[in-house]
Amino acid sequence: MSTVTQDAIPSDTDTDNATGAELHAEPAKHTPREGAFGNATHLQCRECQHQVTLGPFYACPECFGPLEVAYAFPAVTREEIEAGPRNIWRYKALLPVPDDIETSRNTEPGFTRLLRAHNLGAELGIDHLWVKDDSTNPTNSFKDRVVACALSAAIELDAKVFACPSTGNLANAVAAAGARAGIKTVVFIPSNLEHPKQVNSAIFTDSLVAVNGNYDDVNKLASEIAGEEEGWAFVNVNVRPYYAEGSKTLGYEIAEQLGWRLPDQIVIPVASGSQLTKVHKSFQELIKLGLVEDKPYKVFGAQASGCSPVSVAYKAGTDAIRPVKPDTIAKSLAIGNPADGIYVLDICRETGGAVEDITDDEVRDGIVLLARTEGIFTETAGGTTVGVLKKLVESGQLDTSLETVVINTGHGLKTLDSVSDRVSAAATIEPSYAAFQATGLGA
């Protein structure tokens, strides 16, 4: 495994090649081609609504609030979408990507399976339960969706390096997408990240950087590099507005796979909170475009108790989200200062949902429960979501008579250690029928 330590990255004082260019603050030096961002018209501040020209910007110049992509959508029909490819580009008219995106070299993620979870539903007493299983994406997590959109923006903005700070899944997706597109990648991760996730990145790139610190430390370093190094596209920093839009495809797919209707309830894991906000945005866009019937739905957020600042704020009835130092096995959710936490609170409260958290033992129980009922091996984030689903039922916060979707964001092979002491062979026997009979496993 090729790993570059933090010491190998030039410091502020020895960055001889640094130009001081700040992608997020200075005017773009490269003019994107016409239609580079599809039907997107501008970036708009989510706080003060200030509008910014499309470019490598992520913070509002007026109030430093987060920027979000705004569109002038054309008339889009279900038939046009259904005639598209079986990946996220079937929704290209609703994304900040060019009309010829299908000709680009990308990993073509999306259109993952939506499984009717009869057994899990029966176990939990939920009448109509579905699992949206994003572990079947190219690098086995939902991050392939957001990275595909970020890669398109990076190429259109003439970036020379494709990069990210990550808790694992994002690093996997960025490294793979960069390899596929033929663009240099550098990915930054906490040095204590699960070994399989490190391998899953290093196999695609020789520039995996392990940083001694938690995700928030890694993210801070990435922001500093983005401000100092010219031509770097950090997918979740300076091209974040485009990157985040990729999560909308999860919501589009769920609605289409349900027969062009919205679920009554949906449970979504919360790290930065971006995925939850974008799924909600996708539902609202489908309603406005007349592609689904306008109806109420509840959004629930799921966190692990060892990193649950949004859940804590929700239960306290406050908007003040206090950053925490993560201490949980659910490392892909271990963001102690979630950027979109306040928006998660707003959406969950406005829709009548909630934000809940569970212990690490309950996370492990959730992984085993999903595997033993539906044959889906999820990573710790999925275990968190399933565990929270169970807790929401037991506490009466979730209506078991309503149609519910739970999102699985990644594959369990990435976090084997979390459950390796929970499961083992039922017996070790000699190769004889008598020995088998002695196990009591016969019919």
Side-chain angles (χ1 to χ4, degrees), residues 134-269:
D134 249 20
S135 69
T136 57
N137 271 312
T139 66
N140 305 113
S141 88
F142 83 101
K143 290 295 187 182
D144 292 310
R145 298 174 181 275
V146 286
V147 166
C149 289
L151 177 63
S152 174
I155 290 174
E156 298 295 345
L157 292 167
D158 199 31
K160 306 303 180 188
V161 182
F162 197 46
C164 71
S166 172
T167 57
N169 284 328
L170 181 58
N172 300 167
V174 166
R180 170 78 176 140
I183 183 173
K184 178 183 177 181
T185 59
V186 182
V187 296
F188 300 85
I189 59 170
S191 59
N192 68 346
L193 194 65
E194 298 101 328
H195 186 64
K197 286 184 176 176
Q198 296 195 37
V199 174
N200 269 291
S201 292
I203 196 67
F204 299 118
T205 178
D206 60 2
S207 299
L208 169 68
V209 182
V211 179
N212 293 322
N214 59 31
Y215 174 79
D216 296 298
D217 298 320
V218 179
N219 192 41
K220 182 178 179 182
L221 172 63
S223 297
E224 183 179 354
I225 295 172
E228 296 291 336
E229 296 283 335
E230 186 175 10
W232 282 54
F234 277 90
V235 302
N236 48 349
V237 181
N238 50 13
V239 292
R240 182 179 178 84
Y242 313 96
Y243 154 91
E245 290 292 284
S247 284
K248 294 193 308 182
T249 59
L250 260 169
Y252 297 151
E253 287 180 15
I254 290 169
E256 181 180 351
Q257 290 170 318
L258 285 176
W260 292 109
R261 57 183 172 79
L262 303 180
D264 299 314
Q265 302 172 130
I266 185 166
V267 186
I268 306 173

Side-chain angles (χ1 to χ4, degrees), residues 254-293:
I254 290 169
E256 181 180 351
Q257 290 170 318
L258 285 176
W260 292 109
R261 57 183 172 79
L262 303 180
D264 299 314
Q265 302 172 130
I266 185 166
V267 186
I268 306 173
V270 174
S272 72
S274 174
Q275 183 186 70
L276 186 148
T277 66
K278 294 304 179 184
V279 169
H280 174 66
K281 183 180 181 182
S282 74
F283 287 174
Q284 292 299 305
E285 287 178 348
L286 292 177
I287 292 171
K288 290 177 182 176
L289 288 166
L291 293 171
V292 299
E293 181 184 352

Side-chain angles (χ1 to χ4, degrees), residues 427 429 434-443:
I429 63 174
F436 168 69
Q437 283 184 306
T439 65
L441 293 174

Side-chain angles (χ1 to χ4, degrees), residues 346-359:
D346 289 344
I347 291 168
C348 292
R349 286 169 174 156
E350 289 172 3
T351 62
V355 188
E356 187 56 270
D357 60 271
I358 57 171
T359 66

